[in-house]
Amino acid sequence: MARVSTPDLFIFQFLILFMIGIFKKWSALKMFFLLLLITFIRPDYVTFGLSYLGALGLFILIKQKKIEYHLIAQGIALIILNFAIMKYYNYPGWKDLFYDSFIQRRSFVSTDPMLFTWKGYFSIIYIKIIYFKKITLTVSLLLFAIFFLSKDLWVRILSCLFFCNVYIKFLFFPESGALRFFFVFVVLLLIMLLSVLAKKYNGFKLNKIA
């Protein structure tokens, strides 16, 4: 995988930058512009941006008992950017991609009929999730270790964010045998665990990477 240039490896660099922003406590505006950049590069990562804004809003609501409306506005901006990119470049919809990838490859996406059903979708998800056990075990152990070692609410929320994004990604594109679709979030969970260990045992400092 290291020898092949893929969009997932390219976006991974920006997600590492995102983690640096988290550790360095960048301003909300800087983080928003980074999310815009991530969405511009990979429109399908709009779900990651939206889930982060939701997680941040939840944290503020719990700690400060208030709703940050600017986070809602930022989420709307990400959605608009995503739809604008899809429209401008005439990308096929998610159902088209799913159908051609997991049900039946069509010769012409725009002209050949698509017999997509939700029953067929859930049947594929059921079959694919069985072969997803290695990644499930890995992310579950990482999340358990983080929760066991840290009581910090923000750390726990962020870790749940990365954990959930593995399955959000899977639900949209259940290629259970392709690690490259999910490894970025596995690595982000690993970084969170290393950060927790560093804080708990006063060991190495992750902020050196920034």
Side-chain angles (χ1 to χ4, degrees):
M1 186 168 61
R3 296 179 181 179
V4 181
S5 177
T6 69
D8 299 277
L9 291 176
F10 181 66
I11 200 66
F12 178 62
Q13 302 171 67
F14 291 90
L15 291 177
I16 291 296
L17 188 61
F18 171 85
M19 291 302 295
I20 292 174
I22 292 292
F23 292 133
K24 288 289 189 178
K25 297 181 179 179
W26 286 358
S27 68
L29 188 60
K30 283 184 178 180
M31 295 301 288
F32 172 60
F33 281 127
L34 181 57
L35 292 177
L36 281 176
L37 182 60
I38 290 173
T39 304
F40 180 78
I41 295 170
R42 284 293 301 271
D44 57 313
Y45 270 74
V46 67
T47 53
F48 172 76
L50 293 174
S51 58
Y52 167 74
L53 293 175
L56 180 58
L58 176 64
F59 175 73
I60 294 174
L61 181 62
I62 294 173
K63 298 292 288 187
Q64 303 179 18
K65 309 297 181 183
K66 67 177 183 178
I67 299 175
E68 292 288 351
Y69 291 100
H70 75 277
L71 295 178
I72 298 175
Q74 289 178 2
I76 293 173
L78 289 180
I79 293 172
I80 291 174
L81 175 62
N82 176 265
F83 276 104
I85 293 172
M86 299 290 284
K87 188 72 174 177
Y88 181 80
Y89 290 102
N90 197 29
Y91 286 155
W94 167 76
K95 286 185 179 180
D96 289 292
L97 291 175
F98 187 91
Y99 186 86
D100 288 336
S101 299
F102 301 103
I103 300 177
Q104 182 179 352
R105 175 75 66 178
R106 293 172 293 170
S107 301
F108 300 96
V109 174
S110 59
T111 58
D112 291 356
M114 176 182 64
L115 302 176
F116 178 90
T117 64
W118 287 108
K119 181 180 180 180
Y121 167 77
F122 286 114
S123 296
I124 292 171
I125 291 294
Y126 176 76
I127 294 170
K128 293 290 186 178
I129 197 78
I130 296 174
Y131 300 100
F132 202 57
K133 52 184 177 292
K134 289 184 179 180
I135 294 178
T136 294
L137 178 61
T138 300
V139 296
S140 297
L141 288 175
L142 288 171
L143 186 67
F144 175 79
I146 292 169
F147 270 62
F148 180 78
L149 294 170
S150 176
K151 305 298 182 183
D152 187 289
L153 178 61
W154 180 229
V155 169
R156 288 186 167 189
I157 288 178
L158 272 180
S159 301
C160 287
L161 165 72
F162 301 143
F163 179 86
C164 289
N165 267 275
V166 171
Y167 293 94
I168 292 173
K169 191 77 171 176
F170 176 80
L171 290 175
F172 276 98
F173 204 82
E175 188 57 76
S176 54
L179 178 61
R180 68 186 182 89
F181 289 115
F182 312 101
F183 91 101
V184 290
F185 299 114
V186 176
V187 173
L188 295 186
L189 270 173
L190 180 60
I191 291 174
M192 289 300 301
L193 177 59
L194 294 176
S195 174
V196 167
L197 287 171
K199 290 179 181 179
K200 188 174 181 65
Y201 298 109
N202 295 317
F204 53 88
K205 296 183 179 180
L206 285 179
N207 59 7
K208 289 182 178 179
I209 69 175

